[in-house]
């Protein structure tokens, strides 16, 4: 809960200073999600989104290792703070990304190892994963055609074996 308080500093009967400190609520922990790509191109970057509940003087930042790479804030407290991050394939040497929500009184972070959400190290590209259902379907279709063909051939062979012989006499 945010609240304000007037502070007076007295010396004897005189007010020396009057100020209004802003007291902030602790920030919430940011949440990191992977944004789904519409492309099956394996060279497309991994797209991540960090979100946190907005509040007075809240900022949201992405860090790569110990270096801040982006920051955002929004004075509209009715909307959550969101900050995107694109991880390119050449970023594979950097494994740790941290999203930090902060205000003057607190900060919270969520860390991410890119192998958790971005499969750059798995050896299986987005393209090959998207082809797998199509390959399985095609294989099933080929097996169905082979099965039907074999059934027809066996049925024809069976019928030829049962044909009555014409005995002209």
């Amino acid at each position: 809960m945010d609240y304000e308080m007037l502070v007076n500093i007295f010396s004897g009967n005189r007010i020396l200073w009057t100020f209004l400190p802003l007291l902030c609520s602790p920030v919430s922990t940011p949440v990191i999600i992977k944004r789904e790509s519409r492309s099956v191109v394996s060279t497309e970057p991994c797209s991540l989104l960090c979100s946190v509940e907005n509040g007075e003087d809240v900022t949201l930042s992405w860090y790569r290792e110990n270096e801040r790479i982006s920051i955002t804030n929004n004075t509209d407290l009715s909307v959550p703070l969101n900050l995107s991050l694109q991880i390119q394939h050449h970023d594979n040497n950097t494994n740790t990304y941290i999203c930090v929500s902060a205000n003057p009184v607190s900060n919270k972070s969520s860390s991410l190892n890119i192998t958790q959400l971005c499969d750059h190290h798995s050896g299986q590209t987005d393209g090959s994963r998207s082809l797998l259902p199509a390959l399985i379907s095609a294989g099933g279709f080929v097996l169905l055609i082979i099965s039907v063909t074999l059934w027809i051939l066996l049925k024809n062979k069976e019928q030829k074996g049962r044909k009555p012989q014409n005995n002209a006499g």
Side-chain angles (χ1 to χ4, degrees), residues 6-19:
L6 187 62
V7 175
N8 293 317
I9 306 229
F10 291 92
S11 175
N13 290 343
R14 294 182 51 206
I15 297 176
L16 296 178
W17 289 322
T18 299
F19 59 96

Side-chain angles (χ1 to χ4, degrees), residues 17-164:
W17 289 322
T18 299
F19 59 96
L20 187 65
L22 178 62
L23 302 175
C24 300
S25 300
V27 293
S28 56
T29 303
V31 175
I32 301 171
I33 60 167
K34 180 178 180 182
R35 297 170 87 179
E36 292 302 319
S37 169
R38 292 184 205 140
S39 172
V40 294
V41 179
S42 64
T43 59
E44 187 170 305
C46 179
S47 181
L48 302 173
L49 182 67
C50 184
S51 297
V52 72
E53 184 180 319
N54 200 0
E56 195 69 42
D57 292 325
V58 172
T59 61
L60 191 61
S61 306
W62 272 111
Y63 287 82
R64 178 177 38 233
E65 303 296 332
N66 293 322
E67 174 190 359
R68 184 167 59 200
I69 54 177
S70 61
I71 186 169
T72 191
N73 67 350
N74 190 341
T75 56
D76 182 356
L77 304 182
S78 66
V79 296
L81 282 179
N82 295 305
L83 189 56
S84 311
L85 176 66
Q86 303 287 321
I87 299 177
Q88 301 291 334
H89 288 280
H90 66 272
D91 286 344
N92 286 348
N93 293 332
T94 303
N95 289 329
T96 305
Y97 290 85
I98 301 169
C99 184
V100 178
S101 59
N103 68 13
V105 298
S106 69
N107 67 62
K108 297 220 175 136
S109 64
S110 293
S111 62
L112 160 78
N113 187 304
I114 62 171
T115 57
Q116 291 174 298
L117 290 178
C118 300
D119 299 324
H120 295 304
H121 296 298
S122 70
Q124 187 180 33
T125 64
D126 290 340
S128 65
R129 274 197 309 278
S130 66
L131 287 176
L132 189 58
L135 291 173
I136 291 172
S137 296
F141 182 72
V142 168
L143 285 174
L144 177 67
I145 296 297
I146 290 171
S147 298
V148 170
T149 303
L150 286 175
W151 181 78
I152 291 172
L153 289 174
L154 287 174
K155 203 69 162 155
N156 285 343
K157 188 175 181 180
E158 217 177 79
Q159 286 178 353
K160 284 183 182 178
R162 288 191 208 162
K163 271 191 178 175

